[in-house]
Amino acid sequence: MRTEKVFTLDDIPRRATLPDVRVFYVTDRWSLRSRAGLHLQDVISAVAASGHLVHLIVGQVDQRPPESLPLTVLPGLRDHDALDALLSDADVIHVQDIDAPQTLARLTASGRAVVTIQDHRAFCLGFGKTLPDGRRCGHPMSDTACAVCLSERTQRSRALARAAARRDALAAAQRVITLSTYMARELDAVGISDAAVVPPWLTVPQRQPRGGKGFVLGGDWGSGIDAALAWQAWCDAETPQPLLLAGEQPEADALTGATPLGWLSREALHKHLLHARALLLPARWQEPFGILGVEALACATPVILTPRGGMADWAGSGCMPVHSVEDMAEAIRWLAAYPTEAMSLGMIGQQRVRAQFQPASLLQQLLTIYDVCAC
């Protein structure tokens, strides 16, 4: 097995020309069971390794962060006076996944806030800019347009007011960061312009896959992933290759014949991807980015996907776009029948995403944003 160099925190050049910047990270919940949580952990670790001083402030902790990471827990982030006192020492306040518009507004009013947006809450009241019939919603938020997804008038009115408050809070941020050009365009449409696109960097083992058995279905089943579509396509393909279900979801019990893997750590999931024939990523909504697909490609594993939203930034080489159960079944059938071609397809995708999502380059973009905001 050929082994390539792995990007580690030791590869990050320490900054020599500017004084260290104190970066405080604020989030509602610290959880490593989500791609967003894992991405935040990667960011904090890399920024600390670059020489910056970091501190994490959270409203709830699901898994204990590393002991080396300074941590303060403010239950629910409700004590705004305590939050202000903590943040008085920060040069940059990096905000991610704050639900309450009032808290978000307090943070962005500081004049030192960088906000990462990984969800649709600033520009959509429904299901990720996707209409009930599955079509992409191309309308701006309004009482009339949003009635399709929220029929109850009082609920809709409250949701519109909350989204407007969130939009106004984001507009006051010193800089907004998104993971994809799709998200930047959506934010621009609601008046939040010039968002910086800084996608996640890869933390995938830098080695060649071995084998290539089985189709992995992964992602956020509870919202963005259409597990039933993928399962039906696998059944219709009539392949002896197994369907492996990554994640703890009640829906797994209904997918007869598939193999549940339960919740997997990132390392365990990457191990399965390295040995899979392909990843199935049937998005039901407009994906903010779809990092799992990029991780699969970095493992030289092809991705069969329904291209939506931010997937457009990476869903090219190494991917098989589909638009129906029939399309996905045919793609599964083809990859199952031609393992050599499947490996070649994955290798093409691997070469592209490793060039496109270089950790050092993406980290430097983020550090430059910090430097500008701290001045």
Side-chain angles (χ1 to χ4, degrees), residues 8 39 164 257 309-310 327 345 359:
T8 69
H39 172 51
D327 288 349
L345 183 65

Side-chain angles (χ1 to χ4, degrees), residues 21-22 91-92 112 174 369-375:
V21 175
R22 295 166 296 182
D91 297 309
V92 176
R112 295 166 286 151
Q174 199 162 2
I369 291 172
Y370 287 168
D371 286 340
V372 172
C373 291
C375 290

Side-chain angles (χ1 to χ4, degrees), residues 23-43:
V23 186
F24 283 40
Y25 296 86
V26 186
T27 186
D28 279 339
R29 183 175 183 178
W30 178 265
S31 174
L32 300 184
R33 286 183 173 246
S34 70
R35 313 312 292 179
L38 289 168
H39 172 51
L40 180 59
Q41 176 181 253
D42 290 343
V43 167

Side-chain angles (χ1 to χ4, degrees), residues 212 215 233 236-241 277-278 302-304 318-320 322 326-346 348:
F215 293 85
D236 293 348
E238 297 183 330
T239 171
Q241 294 282 340
R277 185 66 55 91
V303 181
I304 303 174
C319 297
M320 299 183 71
V322 299
E326 293 77 17
D327 288 349
M328 181 167 282
E330 180 59 30
I332 291 172
R333 195 177 295 117
W334 188 86
L335 290 178
Y338 298 101
T340 301
E341 287 78 358
M343 181 67 71
S344 297
L345 183 65
I348 292 171

Side-chain angles (χ1 to χ4, degrees), residues 4 29-30 34 59 64 71 82 86 92 94 108 111 113 119 144 154 158 181 201 209 234 267 293 299 314-315 339 367:
E4 300 178 10
R29 183 175 183 178
W30 178 265
S34 70
R64 177 76 189 181
L71 169 70
L86 283 168
V92 176
H94 193 146
T108 58
D119 57 59
T144 301
T154 301
R158 289 174 178 169
T181 53
W201 47 77
W234 173 74
E267 292 75 16
C299 293
W314 55 265
L367 295 180

